[in-house]
Amino acid sequence: MNLKDLSALLKLSPTTVSRALNGYPEVSEATRMRVQAAAQLHNYRPNAQAKRLATGRSMAIGHVIPITTQHEIVNPVFADFIAGAGEVYSAHGYDMILSIVPDNHEERAYREVHAKGNVDGIIVHGPRHSDPRIALLTELDLPFVVHGRSSGVKQGYNWVDVNNARSFERATGLLMDLGHERIALINGLETMDFAARRRAGFENAHVARNLAINPQYMTQGEMTEGQGAKYARLMLGLTQPPTAFVTSSLLSAMGVRRAVEEAGLKIGRDISIVTHDDELGYLRNGEAEPVFTATRSSVREGGRKAAAMLLAQIDARHAGQPLDQHQSILMEASLVLGRSTGPAPHSLGADRTLLPLDGAPRVALITQSVARD
């Protein structure tokens, strides 16, 4: 059945039927419901090109990925986010366009996307501190939603994020409650806003307990199994090694576990690990019981929320509604207990004095707290 047939069946004009199916406000709710019911009954699917012509939209959402982070295309976090967003796009008749561009051509890519008019909106990935893409997309007047946030940006914008600072403060606090005082952080790249916030949460927990942080226990980098193993080996080789690790991803935690086992130690008994679990579709933190104690937040659900927020913004714009207020969603992570945490081992010491390699006492240098969201 095509649009003409459906219109004849309902004894309505093709324009009215098209507007009813695409949510135009000038169509009454009764007519909209009657058209939608008939379309469902007769399995009518609007032609994509006809829908574009009827609505004046491209019916596509853009994702611009710089080539230096092209690994994001195979990153399980990115894949799950896209899966969640794609569910929403598909349900509303939208396509998705991925553009892979050289780092130094990113601004040009956004300007070309805007000039061509081949997308109705943009999802911004991997925000950095004072991210210039936010000002650029605002200038272009192109609807966008940021997956994450950008510290240092004063203007309003739409975003969906996890409360990373609070999550890592809770994770570190849990280890402290178990008696751990020498706690290491294996973080993501701290040029990325989420990782900077996680470090802030880690530091907040130490400030709250008046505990020192040993800089030798803190590192950042790509969140891979190899990175986790590499830095855990180095830290476990210190004169006073950490008794616990907080990591930014399940992959990093797996690397730490490998280094711990190579050293003849056992997680949960000799060394504790708390990680962040994005609740990915195929990289699971155990089955019936979690392997790792973790802060957990579904990145797929984040994709759904970001996509829904962007489509609502696009709908409001086409309906002529004012967009003065920006939307934001801050998702709280849950804390799940696994087999990777236990009390601090007495044999490794548990006093508050941290000894670096030269054996000299170290005192706390952190005196200020930072924002908890």
Side-chain angles (χ1 to χ4, degrees):
M1 176 173 284
N2 58 32
L3 179 64
K4 184 177 179 181
D5 294 334
L6 183 63
S7 302
L9 179 70
L10 292 165
K11 297 182 179 179
L12 295 170
S13 71
T15 300
T16 299
V17 172
S18 177
R19 289 179 178 275
L21 291 171
N22 289 293
Y24 276 73
E26 57 265 35
V27 178
S28 71
E29 187 61 24
T31 298
R32 188 188 328 281
M33 291 178 67
R34 186 162 72 94
V35 170
Q36 289 175 345
Q40 184 174 4
L41 177 65
H42 296 282
N43 198 29
Y44 170 74
R45 296 290 182 270
N47 177 274
Q49 184 62 31
K51 188 171 184 179
R52 292 183 180 98
L53 292 172
T55 62
R57 307 185 195 187
S58 68
M59 301 307 297
I61 302 298
H63 297 255
V64 176
I65 311 298
I67 203 166
T68 53
T69 55
Q70 193 170 354
H71 61 277
E72 291 289 350
I73 295 299
V74 295
N75 184 310
V77 173
F78 181 82
D80 256 46
F81 179 90
I82 289 297
E87 291 175 19
V88 177
Y89 299 155
S90 178
H92 290 81
Y94 277 80
D95 295 324
M96 178 171 53
I97 297 177
L98 294 180
S99 300
I100 311 301
V101 300
D103 234 2
N104 57 350
H105 290 169
E106 193 172 4
E107 178 179 343
R108 188 174 77 184
Y110 284 114
R111 292 190 181 279
E112 287 179 354
V113 161
H114 176 257
K116 291 176 181 177
N118 57 357
V119 301
D120 294 313
I122 291 282
I123 297 286
V124 176
H125 297 277
R128 303 174 292 274
H129 188 278
S130 301
D131 198 305
R133 293 175 293 178
I134 293 172
L136 172 62
L137 290 168
T138 302
E139 172 200 330
L140 295 175
D141 197 28
L142 187 62
F144 69 96
V145 170
V146 178
H147 179 215
R149 283 176 287 172
S150 177
S151 303
V153 173
K154 299 191 182 301
Q155 68 193 80
Y157 59 95
N158 300 287
W159 54 264
V160 175
D161 197 11
V162 177
N163 195 339
N164 287 292
R166 176 62 182 149
S167 296
F168 272 54
E169 184 174 355
R170 290 181 68 196
T172 309
L174 171 67
L175 291 168
M176 292 173 176
D177 288 342
L178 291 168
H180 295 275
E181 296 184 347
R182 298 201 301 272
I183 304 171
L185 172 66
I186 297 182
N187 202 4
L189 291 166
E190 290 174 5
T191 53
M192 309 302 288
D193 192 86
F194 79 88
R197 292 179 186 274
R198 290 178 182 182
R199 177 180 177 131
F202 179 81
E203 293 177 344
N204 277 338
H206 283 78
V207 170
R209 308 292 181 104
N210 195 30
L211 287 175
I213 296 177
N214 187 336
Q216 292 176 300
Y217 295 167
M218 301 178 73
T219 189
Q220 58 172 307
E222 295 286 352
M223 295 184 296
T224 64
E225 196 271 352
Q227 179 241 27
K230 172 185 174 181
Y231 289 110
R233 286 192 200 100
L234 291 172
M235 294 179 192
L236 290 172
L238 294 172
T239 302
Q240 289 223 338
T243 62
F245 290 83
V246 180
T247 75
S248 263
S249 78
L250 273 175
L251 287 172
S252 299
M254 291 174 183
V256 173
R257 179 177 63 181
R258 176 156 64 96
V260 168
E261 291 173 350
E262 288 172 353
L265 303 171
K266 183 176 177 61
I267 66 166
R269 184 192 68 191
D270 305 309
I271 300 291
S272 289
I273 304 172
V274 181
T275 189
H276 181 74
D277 176 12
D278 286 296
E279 205 173 9
L280 302 178
Y282 67 91
L283 183 63
R284 292 290 184 180
N285 181 16
E287 293 298 333
E289 178 186 357
V291 173
F292 295 101
T293 296
T295 56
R296 175 179 290 172
S297 178
S298 169
V299 71
R300 184 170 297 209
E301 181 60 22
R304 294 187 190 103
K305 290 181 182 298
M309 182 183 290
L310 181 56
L311 296 191
Q313 186 182 359
I314 293 167
D315 286 344
R317 169 166 295 196
H318 280 268
Q321 298 173 6
L323 298 174
D324 298 332
Q325 292 189 337
H326 294 94
Q327 293 181 300
S328 61
I329 297 176
L330 185 61
M331 301 168 64
E332 293 292 342
S334 58
L335 182 62
V336 298
L337 296 179
R339 303 191 299 271
S340 67
T341 47
H346 295 296
S347 59
L348 295 181
D351 58 40
R352 292 195 174 210
T353 302
L354 299 177
L355 298 178
L357 291 176
D358 59 9
R362 181 176 184 82
V363 297
L365 298 177
I366 298 176
T367 57
Q368 76 280 2
S369 180
V370 289
R372 296 174 186 270
D373 63 352

